[in-house]
């Protein structure tokens, strides 16, 4: 997609903070009744004065450093003036000429498989407006409700250059950004509205269209795919693509026009007279010293320290909780074996059940890896253990004992092989006539007879030996 240019504006709610951006209201409003977490400051009532939440600014600097940005010597807040029903005071406190940080980058693997550097234009802070709840889709709702609980939540806006070349790259970028944020422990991505995306897209340098307020990574990918198709169809028919703001309707999978695009001067920015400029240069060394090991660095360390593949290292570091889980198990067992079973098997079983890594005890994983290392169980039994624990609970050792799942001894397997070969003469004939894959059927019969307790490689060898013995 050489003619596609995509830039993102990502609004990140710093919801690990206890209080809002400019007042003392609690940020724990997600399960509260509407309009119960508000005060005169976050509603902008006359006479109320905002006070900057220093911790929020520190969180913002932490994110900007992790995105390789240059932190400003001094930053200040502005009033961004516009009317919208979820913004009761008629302006939003945001940043304009003096943002928190500029000029960073994030590395992703591009569509061509090569590492690509996606440039960050700026990182700035602002307050969240409230939330509109439409009765149905936005263009057909008969009425709309307003919840001001979200007013004043600390937001960080990350703006990229138009470096992304496809919807897939946009999704990969967002996945990487979310991973970095979770490593920094500044937001909980599972909370509603924690990360919202505005996508700017243009084809071959034409006018750009903004698709606003997309709340999921998958939604961004779908909205961009739809918008590329829509713009291509317009161009094919000789219709001009106009600069405008559109809404993505996730239910119908389409974008709909909501207004023509505003320019910055439409907002009549002016300095927020109730807040003083902040000199933050002196804060940076201390915050930089407290940065944790970030995903790229951890992936490289895992690869070198544990000798695992790059794919496994990438999978294991995609979530900080999975990385911690792996490292605990790896430190007490075979790290390569642990990587295979956590990255390839456990994560797959968790995804299938829509569960997180916290649903599985690390002690259980350690016990399974140890039993595999000591040849107590087969791979098939290990899979059975993981599935049983996720579905019904229990400890690996108890399940092995109660269900008789220990690896079968050689005599037991040899007897199962003789029986399987005797009952599979058609497959034996196929094998002897040159169909090498026919032997897999017989091995499958052995595994079935031993209830997965035989080593498949041993069963394969014994089956071949038994067939050769019969024809001699």
């Amino acid at each position: 997609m050489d003619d596609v240019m995509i830039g993102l504006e990502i609004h990140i709610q710093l919801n690990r903070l206890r209080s809002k951006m400019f007042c003392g209201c609690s940020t724990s409003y997600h399960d509260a009744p509407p309009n119960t977490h508000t005060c005169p400051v976050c509603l902008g009532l006359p006479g109320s004065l905002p006070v900057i939440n220093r911790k929020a600014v520190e969180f913002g600097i932490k994110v900007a450093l992790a995105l390789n940005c240059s932190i400003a010597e001094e930053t200040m807040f502005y009033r961004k003036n516009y009317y919208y029903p979820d913004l009761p005071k008629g302006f939003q406190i945001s940043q304009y000429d003096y943002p928190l940080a500029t000029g960073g980058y994030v590395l992703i693997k591009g569509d061509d498989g090569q590492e690509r550097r996606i440039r960050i234009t700026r990182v700035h802070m602002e307050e969240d407006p409230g939330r509109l709840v439409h009765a149905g889709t936005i263009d057909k709702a008969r009425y709309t409700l307003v919840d001001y609980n979200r007013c004043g939540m600390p937001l960080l806006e990350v703006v990229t250059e138009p470096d992304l070349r496809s919807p897939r790259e946009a999704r990969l970028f967002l996945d990487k950004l979310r991973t970095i944020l979770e490593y920094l422990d500044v937001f909980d991505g599972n909370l509603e509205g924690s990360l919202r995306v505005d996508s700017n897209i243009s084809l071959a340098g034409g006018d750009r269209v903004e698709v606003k307020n997309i709340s999921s990574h998958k939604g961004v990918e779908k909205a961009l795919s739809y918008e590329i198709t829509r713009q291509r169809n317009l161009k094919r028919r000789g219709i001009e693509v106009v600069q405008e703001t559109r809404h993505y309707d996730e239910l119908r999978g389409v974008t709909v026009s909501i207004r023509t695009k505003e320019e910055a001067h439409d907002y009549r920015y002016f300095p927020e007279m109730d807040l003083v400029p902040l000199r933050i240069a002196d804060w940076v060394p201390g915050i930089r010293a407290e940065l944790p090991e970030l995903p790229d660095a951890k992936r490289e360390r895992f690869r070198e320290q544990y000798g695992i593949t790059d794919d496994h290292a990438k999978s294991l570091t995609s979530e900080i909780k999975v990385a911690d889980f792996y490292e605990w198990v790896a430190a007490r067992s075979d790290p390569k074996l642990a990587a295979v079973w956590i990255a390839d098997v456990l994560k797959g079983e968790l995804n299938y059940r829509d569960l997180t890594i916290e649903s599985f005890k690390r002690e259980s994983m350690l016990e399974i890896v140890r039993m595999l290392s000591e040849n107590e169980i087969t791979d098939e039994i290990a899979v059975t253990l993981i599935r049983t624990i996720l579905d019904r609970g229990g400890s690996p050792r108890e399940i092995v004992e109660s269900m008789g799942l220990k690896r079968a001894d050689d005599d037991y397997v040899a007897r199962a092989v003789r029986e399987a070969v005797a009952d599979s003469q058609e497959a034996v004939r196929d094998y002897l006539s040159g169909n090498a894959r026919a032997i897999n059927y017989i091995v499958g019969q052995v595994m079935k007879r031993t209830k997965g307790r035989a080593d498949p490689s041993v069963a394969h060898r014994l089956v071949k030996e038994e067939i050769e013995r019969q024809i001699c």
Side-chain angles (χ1 to χ4, degrees):
M1 295 187 179
D2 292 338
D3 61 337
V4 175
M5 297 176 69
I6 298 170
L8 302 178
E9 298 172 11
I10 305 109
H11 297 82
I12 302 153
Q13 219 180 49
L14 301 176
N15 51 26
R16 290 290 192 195
L17 292 163
R18 293 184 178 178
S19 57
K20 292 185 179 179
M21 187 68 212
F22 300 113
C23 65
C25 285
S26 167
T27 57
S28 301
Y29 68 86
H30 290 86
D31 296 323
N35 304 310
T36 56
H37 280 50
T38 59
C39 73
V41 173
C42 56
L43 292 178
L45 298 185
S48 60
L49 292 174
V51 177
I52 297 173
N53 182 341
R54 175 177 174 130
K55 199 69 181 173
V57 180
E58 290 177 356
F59 273 23
I61 295 173
K62 186 187 283 190
V63 174
L65 288 172
L67 300 181
N68 305 293
C69 291
S70 299
I71 309 300
E73 293 278 324
E74 191 172 277
T75 189
M76 60 185 292
F77 290 90
Y78 283 71
R79 289 189 178 185
K80 181 181 179 182
N81 296 278
Y82 67 98
Y83 173 75
Y84 211 61
D86 60 3
L87 192 63
K89 57 190 175 187
F91 64 87
Q92 180 185 28
I93 301 179
S94 181
Q95 293 192 307
Y96 186 49
D97 282 340
Y98 301 94
L100 201 64
T102 53
Y105 66 88
V106 170
L107 297 175
I108 66 166
K109 186 176 280 190
D111 287 338
D112 57 0
Q114 301 298 310
E115 194 168 67
R116 293 198 55 222
R117 178 178 290 210
I118 308 302
R119 293 171 294 163
I120 305 296
T121 312
R122 57 186 276 155
V123 175
H124 67 255
M125 303 202 70
E126 60 189 23
E127 59 178 340
D128 214 350
R131 177 170 169 262
L132 298 179
V133 182
H134 305 288
T137 58
I138 193 171
D139 56 335
K140 295 181 179 177
R142 295 176 57 197
Y143 61 88
T144 297
L145 303 171
V146 188
D147 180 3
Y148 291 124
N149 276 347
R150 206 171 69 182
C151 276
M153 281 294 289
L155 274 190
L156 203 63
E157 182 168 342
V158 175
V159 182
T160 77
E161 293 289 320
D163 289 344
L164 297 157
R165 293 290 174 265
S166 72
R168 179 181 169 275
E169 284 194 356
R171 184 171 177 175
L172 288 175
F173 174 86
L174 291 171
D175 289 344
K176 185 69 172 287
L177 178 62
R178 176 171 171 152
T179 299
I180 291 171
L181 294 169
E182 288 178 343
Y183 269 63
L184 296 173
D185 198 24
V186 297
F187 101 135
D188 180 349
N190 296 316
L191 293 177
E192 180 272 331
S194 58
L195 193 147
R196 307 189 298 276
V197 182
D198 298 345
S199 305
N200 291 292
I201 179 167
S202 63
L203 301 182
D207 276 339
R208 63 188 169 88
V209 170
E210 183 180 44
V211 184
K212 283 191 78 67
N213 277 331
I214 313 171
S215 57
S216 72
H217 299 196
K218 190 185 291 184
V220 170
E221 190 173 13
K222 289 181 176 177
L224 287 169
S225 297
Y226 175 86
E227 193 54 27
I228 289 171
T229 303
R230 188 187 72 86
Q231 293 188 26
R232 286 199 196 289
N233 286 338
L234 288 176
K235 289 196 166 196
R236 195 175 298 121
R237 289 151 53 196
I239 302 173
E240 184 183 359
V241 176
V242 297
Q243 182 171 330
E244 62 178 341
T245 299
R246 298 180 71 85
H247 165 75
Y248 178 60
D249 185 333
E250 295 209 32
L251 289 176
R252 292 185 290 166
V254 300
T255 65
V256 293
S257 179
I258 51 177
R259 60 176 180 266
T260 55
K261 174 67 179 172
E262 297 90 346
E263 300 292 346
H265 60 258
D266 293 325
Y267 291 113
R268 300 291 190 270
Y269 282 95
F270 62 82
E272 167 56 70
M273 69 288 284
D274 292 329
L275 295 172
V276 296
L278 272 184
R279 179 169 176 75
I280 54 176
D282 299 339
W283 303 10
V284 175
I287 296 172
R288 189 189 297 277
E290 293 177 356
L291 283 179
E293 184 182 39
L294 293 170
D296 287 345
K298 193 180 284 287
R299 182 180 71 178
E300 188 62 24
R301 179 172 66 78
F302 275 16
R303 206 172 57 79
E304 292 184 1
Q305 181 175 342
Y306 299 117
I308 63 178
T309 66
D310 192 54
D311 284 344
H312 280 153
K314 185 178 178 183
S315 171
L316 293 167
T317 54
S318 62
E319 296 175 50
I320 180 68
K321 289 177 181 174
V322 173
D324 291 344
F325 183 102
Y326 166 71
E327 198 142 37
W328 189 89
V329 176
R332 294 162 177 79
S333 62
D334 179 339
K336 291 183 181 177
L337 192 61
V340 170
W341 281 88
I342 295 171
D344 294 348
V345 184
L346 179 59
K347 282 189 70 176
E349 296 295 332
L350 291 170
N351 288 338
Y352 177 73
R353 293 164 177 77
D354 198 21
L355 297 173
T356 66
I357 194 72
E358 291 156 311
S359 305
F360 204 87
K361 291 180 181 176
R362 57 189 187 179
E363 290 81 1
S364 295
M365 194 70 240
L366 175 62
E367 196 164 11
I368 290 171
V369 172
R370 282 180 174 169
M371 284 194 285
L372 283 164
S373 298
E374 293 165 8
N375 286 324
E376 286 188 58
I377 58 173
T378 64
D379 289 357
E380 190 166 329
I381 294 302
V383 173
T384 300
L385 287 176
I386 290 173
R387 290 175 177 169
T388 304
I389 291 168
L390 287 172
D391 294 338
R392 288 184 275 162
S395 79
R397 183 67 62 184
E398 289 170 356
I399 296 169
V400 166
E401 297 295 338
S402 64
M403 296 176 67
L405 298 178
K406 272 193 173 181
R407 180 186 289 266
D409 60 41
D410 291 348
D411 291 342
Y412 184 78
V413 176
R415 187 164 60 252
V417 166
R418 287 194 296 273
E419 292 172 0
V421 170
D423 292 345
S424 309
Q425 287 303 301
E426 186 175 346
V428 171
R429 286 192 292 276
D430 288 346
Y431 174 69
L432 292 175
S433 23
N435 182 2
R437 289 192 297 178
I439 201 169
N440 294 334
Y441 170 79
I442 309 174
V443 173
Q445 294 303 305
V446 176
M447 299 304 293
K448 194 173 177 182
R449 279 175 163 76
T450 59
K451 298 180 180 175
R453 294 168 53 214
D455 185 323
S457 62
V458 172
H460 191 276
R461 175 174 58 79
L462 292 178
V463 167
K464 286 181 74 174
E465 290 176 359
E466 177 64 17
I467 293 174
E468 288 167 4
R469 190 187 64 76
Q470 284 189 1
I471 61 176
C472 289

